[in-house]
Amino acid sequence: MRGWRLRLLFACTTAFSLHAESGYDAWLRYQALPARVNEADIQALGDSVRLVSGPKMSGSSEVLLAARDELSRGIRGMLGRVPRLEVAEGALSARFAADLPADSFRIKTVQQGSIRYTVIAGGTERGVVYGVFALLRKIAFEQPIDSLDETEVPYAPIRWVNHWDNLDGSIERGYGGRSIFWENRHARSDLSRVSDYGRLLSSIGINACSINNVNADPGILAAEMLPEIARIAAAFRPWGVRAAISVDFASPKILGGLDTFDPLDPRVAAWWSAKVDELYRAIPDLAGIIIKADSEGRVGPSAYGRTHADAANVVARALQPHGGLLFYRGFVYDHHMDWRNPKNDRARAADDNFRPLDGNFEPNAVVQIKNGPIDFQVREPASPLFGTLEKTNQAIELQITQEYLGQARHTVFLAPMWKEVLDFDMHAAPRATPVKALASGKVFGRPVGGFVGVSNAGLSENWFGNHLSQANLYAFGRLAWNPDLSAREISEEWTRLTFGPGREVDSTISEIQLSSWRTYESYTGPLGLQTLTDITGNHYGVNVEASERNGWGQWHNADAQGVGMDRSVKSGTGFVGQYRAEVAKVYESPASTPDELLVFFHHVRYTYRLHSGKTVIQYLYDLHYEGAEAAANYVRQWRKLQGLIDERRYQEVLAQLEYQAGQAEVWRDAVVNWFLKTSGIADEKGRAGNHPGRTEAESMQLEGYTPVPVTPWEAASGGMAVSCGISRCAARFVFEGSPGLHEVRIRYFDQNNGLARFRLFVNGEVREQWVASDRLPTEKIDGTSSSLKIVAGVALKSGDEIRIEGSPDGGESAALDYIEIQ
Ligand code: GCW
């Protein structure tokens, strides 16, 4: 009987759960749990759930009410019926919450005689919300909830996200639509997205969010802006998320009308102090201020010969009376470096700049350090600065938005990469000193420290523009709360909550996620080459030489004999010497440097043998083929999930993975061909430079199309494309392969300045047509616009004519690269 009932329920809820989902609820979907819909499960919680917060706060604030409503929403969604929920005060608070540190929580089942109830206690109200989300996760994971007794304390007090949102509503390096905060230099009139975002942040323990770009518009501090910031802060407040802002260091001059912004000028100090007072009158719980100075064209203390500590401190002091924090970014470097000088090295910049200042910062100032010494590349070693600062607060900055990591068009789950950095032992003291402990202030007993993630979620329905990219925000929050969690645990949690439950679903998605960073690395920049992208442009498409011979310092020094930056002390830039001796010892010689960072630290010949025994060049070839194959495999894996998850997200992720697989081939061919040409060393397996079944467009019979060289040459097969300068052009050739059903793969270019149309004909009959309507970030024919159309199941025999017709539109010339028949 019971079995039947369960099965029936299961059938209903499965059907129900497959309704189209937009991704808006992310991991807070609260899907009905078929196996648990019975009274016993609800009764496990007792007659009620009581929420109590530490004595410092009042018992009925909006945070506690949000916590109660969330609990009700979650339990109703998953279990069908809600027990009594109470916000309790007084004795319960003294008994369960009084000893809890801020932001921590306790969940406990209490049995008093015949009365049983569950208490969720928080050191602060925020802790209560975190406890609520933790209990809801337990229910979602179908863990026992009938005799709970556990306490969780967050690893670090700073668990922030930064947004690089501009006041006009655009987002620097944002890939999920426009700003949820700003439009047209005002806070949006409808801030419900901010509130829903606050809920997501709160669910993973994030307690503050900065709301404007670190490349800050001075206007953020204008008097008329403060009420707007206050509205955004109010939308976050019920979720225990505090707002913060980024400021322009020249504000005293630009906005305040002073003739200087010299941090040591008393008028400047007075201006900051008055401005910060004004800010706190409008937003009493403002979390703090972030400053990017003397970096990438931003002005800073160097204008007056002052130090970064002087700059940080003048604002930090203004914040002190209000309990606010000042974050000063460690991302300071010269982007006009002379590449001809082999001793120059951008990687040195953070340590060179901040080492001499250790101990000179105010106690509420925090140096915010990017995970690696360069800039969010696909792989970098940990920044040596984590191990250098002993008397200065620090926080690690991780990038959730996938700037150099596929811009939410490639699935790249970042927890495995972050874990490698967080767990890396910097040997800064005789005991183990992993980056997570240093950044959190644990090693040198700093008062504050922790984690900052650059999130840049936007107005797109699924927040990031890619359903699978949501996992990076989830992972960031979970790691900031507990960096000892493994990448696998996090990915399994996220998958279960976001797409599950379902065994096949859980394992397939988790496996894709867990391998995705290494897959991306293998086709975009293995061995520590860094992401081989257009570094002076959109940071997206392939462009192997873009980082060379310019002042930005992301050089990899590839020449005919070898590749890599010599950063050793003995013969190179000396960067290795910035690490503590134990670490420096490993990186100083190629023999002891791990393969995956070899060319980050050393210039080696292409014939140099890795620890695996392969030569560098063969490894580069092999890995690019493996990476592209792994990306293609994601599509196959994903297809198995049809019918097991809702159709809308199934189709959207499928389209994204298919796109990624096509793009991985462009990367593969470009990087492989580039190294083949530069090194002159053949691929042992004969793949590099050989493309079976491929006909270059420039070698077809052209009607109206003209051949054009592509820049960079490696972004197009054979270095050439054909482009159409009239209203319609065509290219044709005769198929000479074996008869049967074939896949016809057309590589064309889809810029963002037009909607060119294409038609594929076989023997004069239209077989497929499409519009090049993607919004890829380029107006050029290059590695970014290179796109793939696959037409499957085309019956062909030798002698058939394949003809492709292109109709340009706007600036888009219906350019074609090749057709490949498989
Ligand atoms: O990675 C670079 C980005 C810039 C960014 C800068 C920074 C906000 O390309 O867009 O500027 O880092 O972190 O300040």
Side-chain angles (χ1 to χ4, degrees):
M1 181 62 194
R2 186 177 148 84
W4 271 110
R5 201 190 62 177
L6 270 182
R7 238 172 294 161
L8 194 66
L9 269 170
F10 185 73
C12 296
T13 43
T14 306
F16 173 71
S17 72
L18 291 182
H19 71 282
E21 292 195 48
S22 65
Y24 189 76
D25 286 332
W27 51 86
L28 300 177
R29 291 153 66 238
Y30 302 134
Q31 288 295 289
L33 296 175
R36 292 185 61 91
V37 184
N38 64 52
E39 281 303 304
D41 296 316
I42 295 162
Q43 282 162 16
L45 291 168
D47 81 332
S48 62
V49 182
R50 305 186 190 183
L51 307 180
V52 291
S53 107
K56 286 184 288 304
M57 306 211 177
S58 88
S60 61
S61 82
E62 51 185 334
V63 179
L64 291 177
L65 297 181
R68 191 195 60 192
D69 291 351
E70 187 69 21
L71 190 57
S72 162
R73 176 176 174 176
I75 296 183
R76 186 182 308 283
M78 291 186 284
L79 299 180
R81 188 177 75 77
V82 188
R84 193 148 53 87
L85 306 179
E86 289 174 11
V87 172
E89 278 180 288
L92 275 191
S93 163
R95 188 162 150 217
F96 294 108
D99 61 331
L100 290 174
D103 286 7
S104 58
F105 64 82
R106 168 174 296 144
I107 311 179
K108 191 167 167 58
T109 310
V110 181
Q111 185 80 51
Q112 263 173 351
S114 60
I115 302 177
R116 239 163 80 84
Y117 55 90
T118 304
V119 168
I120 302 178
T124 54
E125 292 157 326
R126 218 186 274 129
V128 179
V129 190
Y130 299 155
V132 161
F133 283 114
L135 178 62
L136 291 172
R137 271 197 295 270
K138 279 185 176 302
I139 297 174
F141 301 152
E142 301 186 55
Q143 291 165 357
I145 48 171
D146 56 352
S147 52
L148 295 164
D149 186 7
E150 51 196 71
T151 302
E152 280 194 40
V153 181
Y155 189 83
I158 296 172
R159 303 182 308 280
W160 288 34
V161 290
N162 283 177
H163 267 245
W164 291 349
D165 296 24
N166 298 313
L167 303 185
D168 65 3
S170 60
I171 305 183
E172 182 159 348
R173 316 299 177 189
Y175 311 106
R178 290 178 68 78
S179 173
I180 60 172
F181 304 116
W182 309 103
E183 190 59 62
N184 201 13
R185 303 191 67 81
H186 290 285
R188 287 190 177 281
S189 50
D190 176 2
L191 290 174
S192 50
R193 283 294 293 255
V194 175
S195 167
D196 289 346
Y197 186 49
R199 173 173 171 252
L200 289 181
L201 296 180
S202 179
S203 74
I204 46 176
I206 290 168
N207 57 15
C209 173
S210 69
I211 59 176
N212 65 310
N213 196 345
V214 290
N215 291 328
D217 186 322
I220 188 76
L221 287 177
E224 61 273 19
M225 222 46 187
L226 306 190
E228 315 249 350
I229 302 170
R231 284 186 50 229
I232 295 172
F236 271 144
R237 197 166 288 122
W239 297 106
V241 176
R242 295 161 77 193
I245 57 169
S246 300
V247 302
D248 184 314
F249 191 62
S251 298
K253 188 169 169 186
I254 302 175
L255 203 73
L258 300 181
D259 58 5
T260 177
F261 57 92
D262 178 354
L264 296 192
D265 187 311
R267 291 170 301 151
V268 169
W271 188 86
W272 279 114
S273 155
K275 184 49 86 176
V276 170
D277 290 350
E278 192 188 338
L279 263 174
Y280 275 84
R281 278 195 296 278
I283 311 113
D285 58 352
L286 187 81
I289 286 179
I290 299 140
I291 293 180
K292 170 177 177 180
D294 279 329
S295 163
E296 299 186 330
R298 312 289 306 171
V299 297
S302 67
Y304 301 95
R306 310 301 187 198
T307 70
H308 297 299
D310 297 332
N313 291 345
V314 69
V315 185
R317 285 188 202 110
L319 285 160
Q320 274 163 8
H322 308 283
L325 294 176
L326 185 278
F327 288 75
Y328 197 89
R329 295 182 81 233
F331 186 61
V332 174
Y333 70 101
D334 172 12
H335 67 281
H336 298 291
M337 234 183 315
D338 183 357
W339 67 91
R340 293 172 211 91
N341 181 346
K343 294 291 170 193
N344 280 348
D345 186 359
R346 170 167 164 189
R348 294 189 57 112
D351 198 83
D352 279 348
N353 276 294
F354 288 88
R355 178 185 294 263
L357 302 175
D358 190 21
N360 297 354
F361 289 85
E362 289 289 330
N364 64 326
V366 180
V367 177
Q368 181 170 321
I369 308 168
K370 289 191 182 187
N371 57 282
I374 301 283
D375 187 8
F376 299 138
Q377 300 300 293
V378 67
R379 188 184 293 261
E380 294 185 47
S383 171
L385 191 54
F386 296 118
T388 305
L389 299 179
E390 295 188 10
K391 293 172 280 188
T392 303
N393 303 324
Q394 49 169 286
I396 184 169
E397 180 179 314
L398 300 170
Q399 200 184 38
I400 297 162
T401 190
Q402 295 166 236
E403 178 182 353
Y404 283 94
L405 290 129
Q407 306 195 351
R409 287 173 175 272
H410 295 238
T411 287
V412 184
F413 178 56
L414 294 165
M417 173 172 119
W418 294 338
K419 280 292 284 182
E420 286 201 6
V421 176
L422 293 172
D423 291 343
F424 185 80
D425 189 350
M426 298 295 282
H427 291 274
R431 62 191 185 288
T433 59
V435 168
K436 59 190 170 194
L438 288 159
S440 307
K442 292 187 192 305
V443 176
F444 297 112
R446 302 303 311 165
V448 289
F451 302 77
V452 179
V454 180
S455 164
N456 294 1
L459 279 181
S460 98
E461 238 183 321
N462 66 30
W463 302 94
F464 290 99
N466 172 3
H467 294 287
L468 301 185
S469 292
Q470 293 178 346
N472 289 325
L473 178 59
Y474 185 84
F476 171 78
R478 295 294 286 144
L479 285 173
W481 183 272
N482 178 8
D484 297 331
L485 289 171
S486 70
R488 175 171 292 278
E489 283 169 311
I490 295 172
S491 111
E492 285 175 358
E493 281 186 8
W494 176 81
T495 306
R496 179 94 193 245
L497 297 171
T498 308
F499 284 100
R503 205 174 326 132
E504 174 95 5
V505 172
D506 290 353
S507 66
T508 304
I509 299 181
S510 205
E511 290 315 317
I512 290 177
Q513 291 277 32
L514 285 169
S515 60
S516 61
W517 165 51
R518 285 193 177 74
T519 295
Y520 185 76
E521 177 187 39
S522 59
Y523 61 80
T524 61
L527 293 176
L529 276 168
Q530 306 168 59
T531 320
L532 295 173
T533 183
D534 202 349
I535 77 120
T536 55
N538 59 25
H539 298 182
Y540 180 68
V542 62
N543 192 334
V544 180
E545 277 174 271
S547 48
E548 305 281 56
R549 294 175 291 283
N550 60 42
W552 291 91
Q554 288 182 221
W555 315 313
H556 48 80
N557 281 348
D559 57 28
Q561 281 76 42
V563 59
M565 279 282 289
D566 183 354
R567 295 189 153 110
S568 68
V569 174
K570 190 160 139 258
S571 53
T573 68
F575 167 71
V576 169
Q578 293 182 336
Y579 289 96
R580 302 276 179 150
E582 289 293 305
V583 178
K585 210 167 61 193
V586 175
Y587 291 146
E588 179 65 13
S589 89
S592 49
T593 301
D595 285 350
E596 65 262 21
L597 282 169
L598 180 67
V599 308
F600 188 91
F601 285 108
H602 302 283
H603 186 82
V604 293
R605 299 179 77 83
Y606 293 118
T607 49
Y608 179 87
R609 283 199 188 273
L610 300 169
H611 294 111
S612 65
K614 270 188 197 173
T615 61
V616 164
I617 191 74
Q618 192 56 41
Y619 183 80
L620 284 178
Y621 294 146
D622 287 352
L623 216 63
H624 281 81
Y625 283 93
E626 283 165 26
E629 180 51 33
N633 210 22
Y634 292 159
V635 175
R636 285 174 220 127
Q637 287 168 267
W638 188 263
R639 282 186 191 283
K640 292 198 207 127
L641 301 183
Q642 184 156 30
L644 299 177
I645 59 177
D646 62 286
E647 187 66 7
R648 174 166 173 192
R649 289 188 303 164
Y650 169 78
Q651 290 296 350
E652 287 175 354
V653 174
L654 177 63
Q656 178 262 313
L657 291 173
E658 284 175 341
Y659 168 83
Q660 177 176 355
Q663 198 61 11
E665 289 181 13
V666 179
W667 275 91
R668 177 197 67 196
D669 291 352
V671 177
V672 159
N673 286 334
W674 194 91
F675 279 102
L676 176 65
K677 182 170 170 188
T678 308
S679 71
I681 302 174
D683 168 17
E684 281 168 8
K685 299 183 187 150
R687 299 154 302 185
N690 290 321
H691 307 287
R694 188 177 291 188
T695 307
E696 297 293 341
E698 59 272 21
S699 71
M700 296 178 196
Q701 268 189 291
L702 303 179
E703 302 160 24
Y705 269 123
T706 45
V708 289
V710 170
T711 309
W713 65 266
E714 70 272 18
S717 194
M720 303 283 287
V722 299
S723 153
C724 180
I726 52 178
S727 62
R728 190 188 299 159
C729 301
R732 60 194 156 90
F733 67 101
V734 174
F735 175 70
E736 280 162 2
S738 52
L741 286 183
H742 292 272
E743 194 174 89
V744 180
R745 317 172 101 237
I746 302 121
R747 175 125 340 243
Y748 64 103
F749 295 88
D750 186 351
Q751 299 108 282
N752 63 12
N753 53 351
L755 297 171
R757 281 172 295 120
F758 292 92
R759 291 201 290 176
L760 170 72
F761 297 80
V762 177
N763 293 331
E765 296 211 357
V766 179
R767 189 60 183 70
E768 181 74 318
Q769 46 191 322
W770 70 99
V771 181
S773 58
D774 204 342
R775 306 299 300 168
L776 290 152
T778 187
E779 295 190 349
K780 292 187 287 195
I781 298 175
D782 60 13
T784 295
S785 53
S786 178
S787 301
L788 183 65
K789 176 77 187 174
I790 299 180
V791 187
V794 183
L796 292 174
K797 57 181 185 327
S798 187
D800 285 349
E801 183 199 68
I802 312 264
R803 181 167 179 273
I804 182 118
E805 195 180 86
S807 308
D809 177 66
E812 199 171 78
S813 63
L816 283 173
D817 187 357
Y818 61 79
I819 294 182
E820 203 169 79
I821 299 185
Q822 290 184 348

